[in-house]
C-alpha cells in the first residue's frame, strides 16, 4: 500500500485545480479570440502554411489594386480611342460627301473637317491621372505637337496584374495611331482631308477616303487590342478574387476555431474545474486530522 | 528486581516516549517545510535485569533519531533536476522568442508585403510623386521592423547574460555553503551529534545547485557531497569550493562576440567551461542564448541582408525621377552580420523620394526597375527572370517562424516531460520521507499512552516503595 503524505494531498489538490483551471483558461481564450492557432508552436507546419497564405493573400490584394489602376488607364485610353474613331468616321463621311458634291459644298464641309482634325490632335494628347496616355513612357508631356509630329515613344508600361502576368497599360500609339510600320497615320489622314476640302481639291478628297477607311479600321483594331487587355485584367482580377476566397478559407481552416466545439469544450472545462474544486475541498477537509480530536 | 528498578524503567519509558513525541511533534511542525525528511525515533529495549531467578527487561531508550529517506530516489531527483532546470530556462526563453512571431507582436511579415505591394502599385503609375513617397515610407517601416525585432532579440541576449551572471554568483555562494556544510556534518558526525537538520539542508542545497548549474553531484566515503564538471575540474570537493567566473569574450562557435563565457577558477588556473554546462538553469540559458536567440538573430540578419542587397542590386542599375542613378535603396552594408540591426532607407532617399529608381531610362513612365524589385517577393516565379536573384523574404520569415515553432514545441514538451518525471520522483520521495499528519497524530497518541502508562508504573513503584517504607519494624 502506498503511503500518502499530507504534502502530497495538498499537492494533488493543487495540481488538479491548476490543470483544470489551465484547460478552462485555454478554452476561454479560444472562445474569446475565435482562434485555434495563436502561436507557431501550436502547429509549426500549419503556421508556415498560414503565413505563406497570408503573404500570398496580401500579394494578391496588391495585384488587385494594380489591376484596378491598370483598368482605369486602359478604360481612359479606350474612351479616347472611341472619341478619335468617332471623329475619323465622321471625317470619312465628310470625305465621301466631299468627293461627290460641288465646290461650294466642299468648302462648307472643310470647316467641320478641320475641327475634327484639330479635335483629333487634342484627343491623342489626352491625359489621365497626370499621365499623357499616348506617349508611351514619355508620360509627362503631350506626345503630339500641333503639326502632328510625335515626340513620345512606343515603350510599354507593363503592370503586374497577377503573379507572373503583366499587362501593357500604354495604348498602342505606334501601330494604330501612327500607322507604323505599314499603316496610316490617323492624324495625317484627318489633316489631308481638311486641307483638300479647304482647297476644293476633289482629287485630294478622293485620295483621303481610303486612308480614312483604313484609319477607322486601325482604330477598331486598337480598341479591340485595348478591349483584349481589359479582358485580361478582368480575368486576372476574377481569378485573384476567387484565389483570395480559397486562401482565406485555407487560413481560416488552419487558424480559426470551430465555434461549436470551442463552446462545448469551454462548458466541459468549466464543469471539470468546478468538480476539481469540490473534490479538492473534500480531499483537504479529510487532511486536517480533526477526526482525531 | 528491586522496587527502584520499577521507578527507573518507568522513568526510561517517560523519557523515551517524550523524545518520540518530540520527534513526532517536530515532524508535524515541518509538514510544510520544503525538503524536510521525516524522522523516526528508534527505540530499543535496554538489556535485561534479573528478578529472582526470572529475567525481566531493563527498560527502553531512544538510541537514535533517523531520517527516513532513500538515497537512490534522492540521486534520481538530483539527476532529473539538472534536466528540469535546463528545460525550464530554455522553454521560458524560447517562449519569448516565439512571442515575437505570434499574434499582434509579429509585424514583419505584413511590412514585407506592404513594401513589395507599394512598389508594385507604383509600377503602374511611376510618375506619381505621392506613390513614390509611399514606397519610401513602406521601405522605412520595413527597415524599422527589422531593427525593432533585432533590437528585441539583442535585449533578450543581454537579459539572459544578466541572469547567467546572477545565477553564477548564486551558484558560487551555494558551492561555498555546500563545502561548509560538508565540514560541519563531518565534524558533528565524528563527535556523535545528530546531523539530520544539516543533511536536510545539504540535500536541499544540492538540489537547488543541480537545478541551477547542472554539474554532477556525488557522495564520497567521508559522507561529503562533491560537485564535479566531468573532465573539466572539481567545483566542490569536501570542504573546498572553487569558483566560477563570467567574462565577456570573443565569438566562439554559436556564441556571439561580447556574450558571457563561464570559467572555472581552481588551483590549475582559469578554464572556460561554458560548453560543458549543458544542464541546469545556466546550461538552459546558455543554450537558449546561443542556439535560439543568436541563431534567430543570425537568420534575421541573413534575411535583411539578402533583401537589402537584392533590392539595391536592381535599384543601383536604374534611374530616379531626378534623372540620376547608381544609388542604393537600403543602407545595409557589405557584411551580413548585424544587417537586421542597421538596415535603413538610404539617407538621400529619405529626404527626396525622387531618388527612387523607377526604370532604366529617364522617361517618367519607365518602371522596369520597380517591376524587377516587386518580383523579388514571389518565390521562384517562372518565366519572369526574377527567380535567379529572388529573395522570397516573406517566405524566409515564415520558415524562420515555423522553425522557432518546432523548437518551442520540443522545448515545451521537454519541460512538461521533465516536470512530470521530477513530480513522479517527488511523489516517491514524499511517500517515504514526507510527513503524514494522520500518521504523526496516531503516533502522538500511541506515545502519549505509553508515556501515561510509564507514569502510572512509576506511581505504582512509588506506592510500593511507600508501602515498604511504612512497614514498622
Amino acid at each position: 500500500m502506498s503511503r500518502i503524505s499530507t504534502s502530497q494531498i495538498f499537492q494533488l489538490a493543487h495540481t488538479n485545480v491548476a490543470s483544470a483551471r489551465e484547460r478552462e483558461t485555454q478554452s476561454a481564450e479560444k472562445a474569446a479570440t475565435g482562434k485555434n492557432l495563436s502561436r507557431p508552436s501550436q502547429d509549426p507546419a500549419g503556421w508556415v502554411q498560414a503565413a505563406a497564405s497570408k503573404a500570398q493573400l496580401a500579394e494578391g490584394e496588391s495585384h488587385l489594386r494594380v489591376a484596378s489602376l491598370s483598368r482605369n488607364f486602359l478604360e481612359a485610353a479606350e474612351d479616347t480611342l472611341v472619341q478619335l474613331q468617332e471623329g475619323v468616321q465622321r471625317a470619312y463621311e465628310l470625305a465621301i460627301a466631299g468627293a461627290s458634291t460641288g465646290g461650294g459644298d466642299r468648302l462648307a464641309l472643310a470647316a467641320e473637317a478641320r475641327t475634327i482634325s484639330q479635335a483629333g490632335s487634342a484627343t491623342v494628347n489626352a491625359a489621365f491621372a497626370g499621365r499623357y496616355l499616348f506617349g508611351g513612357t514619355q508620360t509627362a508631356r503631350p506626345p503630339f505637337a500641333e503639326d502632328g509630329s510625335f515626340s513620345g515613344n512606343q515603350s510599354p508600361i507593363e503592370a503586374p496584374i497577377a503573379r507572373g502576368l503583366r499587362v501593357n497599360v500604354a495604348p498602342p500609339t505606334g501601330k494604330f495611331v501612327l500607322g507604323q510600320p505599314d499603316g496610316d497615320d490617323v492624324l495625317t489622314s484627318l489633316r489631308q482631308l481638311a486641307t483638300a476640302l479647304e482647297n476644293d481639291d476633289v482629287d485630294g478628297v478622293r485620295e483621303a477616303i481610303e486612308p480614312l477607311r483604313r484609319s477607322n479600321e486601325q482604330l477598331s483594331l486598337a480598341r479591340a487590342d485595348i478591349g483584349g487587355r481589359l479582358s485580361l485584367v478582368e480575368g486576372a482580377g476574377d481569378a485573384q478574387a476567387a484565389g483570395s476566397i480559397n486562401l482565406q478559407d485555407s487560413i481560416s481552416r488552419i487558424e480559426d476555431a470551430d465555434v461549436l466545439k470551442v463552446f462545448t469544450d469551454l462548458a466541459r472545462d468549466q464543469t471539470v474545474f468546478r468538480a476539481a474544486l469540490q473534490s479538492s475541498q473534500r480531499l483537504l477537509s479529510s487532511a486536517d486530522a480533526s477526526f482525531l480530536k | 528486581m528491586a522496587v527502584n528498578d520499577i521507578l527507573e524503567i518507568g522513568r526510561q519509558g517517560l523519557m523515551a516516549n517524550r523524545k518520540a513525541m518530540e520527534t513526532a511533534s517536530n515532524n508535524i511542525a515541518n509538514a510544510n517545510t520544503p525538503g524536510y525528511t521525516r524522522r523516526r525515533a528508534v527505540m530499543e529495549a535496554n538489556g535485561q535485569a534479573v528478578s529472582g531467578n526470572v529475567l525481566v527487561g531493563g527498560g527502553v531508550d531512544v538510541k537514535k533519531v533517523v531520517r527516513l529517506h532513500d538515497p537512490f530516489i534522492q540521486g534520481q531527483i538530483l539527476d532529473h533536476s539538472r534536466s528540469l532546470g535546463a528545460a525550464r530556462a530554455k522553454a521560458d526563453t524560447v517562449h519569448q522568442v516565439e512571442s515575437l512571431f505570434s499574434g499582434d507582436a509579429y509585424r514583419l511579415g505584413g511590412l514585407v508585403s506592404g513594401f513589395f505591394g507599394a512598389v508594385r502599385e507604383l509600377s503602374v503609375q511611376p510618375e506619381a510623386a505621392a506613390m513614390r513617397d509611399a514606397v519610401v515610407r513602406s521601405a522605412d517601416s520595413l527597415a524599422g521592423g527589422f531593427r525593432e525585432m533585432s533590437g528585441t532579440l539583442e535585449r533578450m541576449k543581454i537579459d539572459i547574460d544578466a541572469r547567467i551572471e546572477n545565477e553564477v554568483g548564486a551558484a558560487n555562494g551555494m558551492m561555498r555553503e555546500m563545502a561548509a556544510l560538508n565540514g560541519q556534518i563531518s565534524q558533528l558526525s565524528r563527535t556523535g551529534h545528530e546531523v539530520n537538520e544539516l543533511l536536510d539542508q545539504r540535500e536541499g542545497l544540492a538540489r537547488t545547485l543541480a537545478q541551477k548549474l547542472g554539474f554532477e553531484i556525488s557522495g564520497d566515503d567521508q559522507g561529503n557531497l562533491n560537485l564535479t564538471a566531468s573532465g573539466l575540474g572539481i567545483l566542490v570537493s569536501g570542504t573546498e569550493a572553487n569558483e566560477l567566473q563570467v567574462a565577456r569574450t570573443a565569438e566562439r562557435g554559436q556564441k556571439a562576440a561580447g556574450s558571457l563565457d563561464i570559467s572555472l577558477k581552481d588551483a590549475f588556473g582559469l578554464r572556460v567551461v561554458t560548453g560543458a554546462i549543458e544542464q541546469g538553469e545556466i546550461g538552459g540559458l546558455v543554450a537558449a542564448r546561443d542556439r535560439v536567440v543568436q541563431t534567430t538573430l543570425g537568420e534575421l540578419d541573413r534575411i535583411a541582408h539578402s533583401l537589402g542587397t537584392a533590392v539595391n542590386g536592381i535599384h543601383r542599375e536604374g534611374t530616379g525621377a531626378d534623372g540620376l542613378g547608381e544609388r542604393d535603396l537600403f543602407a545595409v552594408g557589405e557584411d551580413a552580420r548585424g544587417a537586421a540591426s542597421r538596415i535603413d532607407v538610404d539617407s538621400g532617399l529619405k529626404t527626396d523620394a525622387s531618388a527612387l529608381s523607377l526604370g532604366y531610362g529617364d522617361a517618367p513612365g519607365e518602371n522596369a526597375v520597380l517591376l524587377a524589385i516587386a518580383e523579388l517577393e514571389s518565390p521562384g516565379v517562372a518565366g519572369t527572370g526574377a527567380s535567379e536573384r529572388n529573395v522570397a523574404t516573406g517566405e524566409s520569415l515564415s520558415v524562420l517562424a515555423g522553425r522557432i515553432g518546432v523548437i518551442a514545441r520540443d522545448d515545451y514538451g521537454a519541460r512538461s516531460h521533465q516536470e512530470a518525471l521530477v513530480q513522479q520522483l517527488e511523489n516517491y520521495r514524499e511517500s517515504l520521507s514526507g510527513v503524514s499528519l494522520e500518521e504523526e497524530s496516531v503516533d502522538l497518541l500511541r506515545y502519549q499512552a505509553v508515556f501515561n502508562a510509564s507514569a502510572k508504573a512509576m506511581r505504582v513503584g512509588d506506592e510500593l516503595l511507600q508501602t515498604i517504607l511504612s512497614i514498622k519494624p
Side-chain angles (χ1 to χ4, degrees), chain A residues 3 5-8 38-41 44 47-48 51 59 62-63 65-66 129 131 137 139 158 160 166 291-292, chain B residues 31 38 95 98-99 101-102 120-121 123-125 127 363 365 367 375 378 398 405 427 430-431 434-435 437 439 441:
Chain A
R3 183 177 171 277
S5 74
T6 305
S7 287
Q8 278 177 288
S38 56
R39 306 181 72 83
S41 59
W47 186 271
V48 172
E59 190 183 340
S62 160
H63 280 131
R65 285 192 291 276
V66 167
R131 168 187 296 177
T137 57
T139 57
E158 291 192 319
R166 295 175 183 172
F291 63 92
L292 291 169
Chain B
R38 74 182 166 117
H95 181 79
E98 191 196 8
S99 297
F101 291 89
S102 308
R120 191 175 293 114
E121 285 155 41
S123 72
V124 194
Q125 213 172 346
E127 57 278 84
N367 68 350
E375 279 179 356
S378 311
S398 304
N427 283 338
E430 272 292 314
S431 68
V435 176
L437 290 179
E439 194 177 281
S441 299

Side-chain angles (χ1 to χ4, degrees), chain B residues 165-185:
Chain B
E165 195 166 3
N166 281 339
E167 297 296 345
V168 166
N172 279 332
M174 287 179 192
M175 290 190 299
R176 284 193 294 273
E177 205 179 332
M178 182 179 272
L181 280 169
N182 278 341
Q184 288 172 27
I185 290 167

